[in-house]
Amino acid sequence: MTAPQAEAVIDLDAFGANLEALAACAPSSAQMTVVKADAYGHGMVPMARAARAAGTDWLGVATLAEALALRESGDTGDLLCWLAAPGADYAAAVEADVEVTASSTDQLAEILAAAPRRPRVQLKVDTGLSRNGALGREWTALVAAAAAAQAAGRVEVTGVWSHFACADEPAHPANDAQEAVFVAAVDELTAAGIEPGLRHLCNSPATLTRPSAHFDMVRVGIAAYGIRPDPGMTYETPLTPVLTLRGRLAQVKRIPAGAKVSYGQTWTAERDTTVGLVPLGYGEGIAVSASNRAEVLAAGARVPLVGRVCMDQFVVDLGERSARRGDAVVLFGPGHDGEPTAEDWATASGTIAYEVVTRLGGRIVRTYEGGA
């Protein structure tokens, strides 16, 4: 079989080891593996199956469409989704045994009106992120509405949750403040006669560094894929990036000193040199902002990306290294063999590693290795 010219190789053994290490951080809590946004670019269905095989208790997705796609793939385990605009297909979600989130009284009313039977609903409280979730008086109103609906047998409240804003900065005072607001919100729910069910507040960084907030379940996202939530974070838990992005040289040629490379001619060869053409570009999610800044592993060394990233391709400066058409190029991976990491590409692109992996697509072929 001919090797693809753009390939993301996902190490399922590393993924399973990451989940095991994260579970050890919160041994008394259930674990939710977040597979939203196509599992952060790793492929939602294969990663969901691998997470289940590794023993994760729950899967988490953002949208109803993602949840239903998992059900259509054969997944039957506990599954929560949390982001929906008005008019979402709650009926299909309830029929598929997907737990949905209510972040306001209006949303709860819409879920109840659409559900063909009693839905299982988790309530989200805004503890300080100021995104989704009910805040202050809105939370009190949502609790009252949920209590009335549950007393009438119209809903089963199965959990209460929120999301940290600054957990990737463990010493940030917002973390203590949010945890306190969350505890108070749970107490308000209990006082209204609702058993809170699963209480969950921790994302990846809080799972790694904030045991006081582990509660009944932790949600692991980017850390499950082996990427640090923030490059400045330190923790003892061993995590390995599971995705390696590879390409192959489509052309290798000599260019003279003074030759200019790619659109806008933003790079000029200072000497006679060899350049290689890598057939990935912003059509595959390679950021234009990485132009003249990122590096790849090619011809046995890290070499610079030169000139502007194009839709389908970019150029690297191989210098005097020996290379041929078809030779492998590694854009990023775990870093074990000297290749750049997704964090390196994030720095070069002026973004975060979450975005580097999540935006991968286009003509990239995903290959899965290892796993149960």
Side-chain angles (χ1 to χ4, degrees):
M1 172 182 271
T2 302
Q5 64 183 31
E7 182 181 28
V9 181
I10 292 98
D11 183 346
L12 298 179
D13 288 335
F15 182 61
N18 291 341
L19 290 176
E20 182 177 356
L22 289 163
C25 290
S28 299
S29 304
Q31 182 185 77
M32 175 187 288
T33 302
V34 180
V35 292
K36 65 178 181 176
D38 207 21
Y40 295 65
H42 294 67
M44 181 176 70
V45 170
M47 301 314 288
R49 288 174 177 160
R52 295 292 194 200
T56 201
D57 304 285
W58 283 72
L59 296 178
V61 293
T63 69
L64 293 176
E66 291 172 328
L68 293 174
L70 283 175
R71 288 299 192 234
E72 289 168 5
S73 77
D75 184 84
T76 59
D78 290 325
L79 172 60
L80 176 69
C81 70
W82 50 74
L83 185 63
D89 192 358
Y90 290 113
V94 173
E95 287 285 19
D97 291 322
V98 174
E99 296 204 13
V100 296
T101 298
S103 290
S104 66
T105 54
D106 287 347
Q107 188 172 23
L108 178 61
E110 186 176 8
I111 294 167
L112 297 179
R117 54 185 171 83
R118 186 174 67 163
R120 292 168 59 85
V121 175
Q122 299 198 21
L123 306 180
K124 186 172 185 185
V125 55
D126 179 3
T127 55
L129 185 59
S130 298
R131 295 193 318 191
N132 221 357
L135 176 68
R137 293 179 180 176
E138 295 176 353
W139 173 250
T140 299
L142 177 57
V143 168
Q150 182 156 288
R154 299 182 61 209
V155 70
E156 181 182 358
V157 176
T158 58
V160 53
W161 67 285
S162 191
H163 196 70
F164 278 116
C166 302
D168 53 357
E169 302 175 63
H172 198 292
N175 298 320
D176 286 342
Q178 283 194 259
E179 188 173 337
V181 172
F182 183 72
V183 170
V186 172
D187 289 344
E188 186 173 353
L189 194 65
T190 303
I194 298 179
E195 172 61 39
L198 284 173
R199 303 163 300 159
H200 48 113
L201 177 60
C202 282
N203 51 7
S204 285
T207 300
L208 289 162
T209 64
R210 195 172 181 87
S212 64
H214 286 167
F215 296 110
D216 302 309
M217 183 164 68
V218 295
R219 304 184 305 271
V220 294
I222 197 68
Y225 305 95
I227 295 173
R228 288 184 294 176
D230 182 88
M233 279 193 70
T234 59
Y235 44 83
E236 296 182 359
T237 304
L239 299 173
T240 301
V242 305
L243 187 151
T244 298
L245 182 61
R246 299 173 180 165
R248 294 190 298 141
L249 293 175
Q251 186 173 22
V252 176
K253 64 182 177 183
R254 295 289 289 177
I255 62 173
K260 299 179 185 300
V261 171
S262 196
Y263 289 127
Q265 298 188 328
T266 60
W267 185 83
T268 303
E270 295 179 352
R271 65 197 185 292
D272 293 355
T273 191
T274 300
V275 294
L277 186 67
V278 182
L280 290 90
Y282 57 80
E284 282 69 49
I286 307 303
V288 175
S289 56
S291 302
N292 293 307
R293 299 181 64 187
E295 293 180 325
V296 305
L297 183 68
R302 285 174 67 152
V303 299
L305 186 161
V306 295
R308 188 178 298 169
V309 173
C310 307
M311 183 180 293
D312 316 297
Q313 54 204 289
F314 62 82
V315 178
V316 295
D317 180 14
L318 298 167
E320 300 305 313
R321 297 172 184 86
S322 177
R324 297 182 300 175
R325 292 184 67 244
D327 284 356
V329 175
V330 180
L331 281 73
F332 57 81
H336 297 159
D337 298 316
E339 76 278 8
T341 64
E343 288 183 5
D344 293 329
W345 270 77
T347 298
S349 306
T351 185
I352 56 177
Y354 294 73
E355 185 180 356
V356 170
V357 292
T358 300
R359 68 185 169 208
L360 297 178
R363 292 150 287 195
I364 294 173
V365 176
R366 292 191 185 92
T367 302
Y368 297 88
E369 297 180 347

